Amino acid sequence: ILGQPRSESEIWKELRNRAANMPIYDTHEHLWHEDIRLKKAIDFFLLFSIYTNSDLVTAGMTPEEVQSLQNPEIPLENRWKMFSPYWPYTRTTGYGRCMLIAARDLFGIDDIHKGTYKTLSERITAANQPGWYHTVLKDKANIEISIQDDLLSTSGQKLKLDKRLFKTV
C-alpha cells in the first residue's frame, strides 16, 4: 500500500513519529488566493491542473485534451473517459503518487480509479470552503509557513494572502 511503513520496529515508529511532527517550511507555492478558489468550480481534475498535466502529455494525451480536463462545462464522466487511458502511465510518477497520497490523506480515498473518481470529486468539491488551506497546510501537513510565488502580483492585482499561512516572494 502506498506510503505504508516497511517495518514496525520501535526505532522505525519513533523516527516516523518525529518526522511527522517536524515543522515544515514550504519554499515554493502557486496557490490561488482563497477568495478566487472559492469562486471556482472545483472537482476531481483540480488534482491534474499543475505538474501532473505534464505527465499526462508525456503519456500521450494532447495538450488540448489536458486543458479540457479543467473545463467544468464538460461532464465529469466525459473527462474521466479522456483521462483514464493515460492514468496508468502517470500514477507512478512523482506527481501521480502525490495525487494518490492527497486522495488518501485529504479525502479518504485509497486509490483513484473508475469506482472512486466520482466520490473523490464530490469530496474535493465539498472541501472548497473557507479555511481549507489552513486545514491542509497547518493541520494536515504541519507547514509552519509557505512561500507564495504570487503570480497575481505581476499583473498588479492586490495581494490577499493569509499572513498566518503565507509569505510572499
Side-chain angles (χ1 to χ4, degrees):
I1 294 178
L2 185 67
Q4 295 299 313
R6 294 188 182 134
S7 168
E8 287 300 323
S9 70
E10 290 306 311
I11 194 163
W12 181 256
K13 288 178 187 176
E14 178 67 20
L15 287 170
R16 192 173 67 224
N17 185 50
R18 286 183 186 239
N21 290 302
M22 186 183 315
I24 297 169
Y25 294 86
D26 176 358
T27 62
H28 187 97
E29 279 303 338
H30 294 285
L31 296 171
W32 294 324
H33 292 195
E34 186 172 68
D35 63 327
I36 293 169
R37 189 197 76 236
L38 292 172
K39 293 175 188 171
K40 291 189 174 283
I42 304 293
D43 65 22
F44 168 77
F45 287 103
L46 175 65
L47 296 175
F48 299 90
S49 60
I50 298 181
Y51 299 125
T52 49
N53 56 5
S54 297
D55 287 346
L56 291 168
V57 170
T58 300
M61 201 172 193
T62 69
E64 295 76 24
E65 288 173 318
V66 171
Q67 187 174 358
S68 68
L69 296 177
Q70 301 307 314
N71 183 351
E73 293 179 14
I74 299 172
L76 187 66
E77 293 80 7
N78 293 3
R79 290 182 283 152
W80 174 261
K81 286 177 186 172
M82 279 191 290
F83 166 82
S84 62
Y86 303 97
W87 177 230
Y89 302 106
T90 59
R91 66 181 286 121
T92 57
T93 67
Y95 299 128
R97 289 182 57 82
C98 287
M99 298 310 101
L100 289 163
I101 292 167
R104 182 194 67 204
D105 291 356
L106 298 177
F107 303 106
I109 302 291
D110 287 331
D111 196 4
I112 297 172
H113 54 72
K114 184 179 181 178
T116 62
Y117 81 92
K118 287 181 185 177
T119 301
L120 178 55
S121 190
E122 290 166 2
R123 292 179 185 177
I124 290 170
T125 299
N128 192 27
Q129 300 290 324
W132 180 242
Y133 286 155
H134 189 277
T135 298
V136 173
L137 299 174
K138 292 287 189 185
D139 300 340
K140 297 279 187 178
N142 199 25
I143 294 175
E144 187 70 27
I145 201 77
S146 292
I147 307 300
Q148 176 82 345
D149 190 0
D150 201 307
L151 301 177
L152 289 178
S153 63
T154 61
S155 63
Q157 293 187 33
K158 186 177 179 182
L159 298 177
K160 304 173 207 166
L161 297 176
D162 183 337
K163 294 184 189 286
R164 296 170 300 160
L165 303 174
F166 301 103
K167 298 287 183 207
T168 306
V169 170

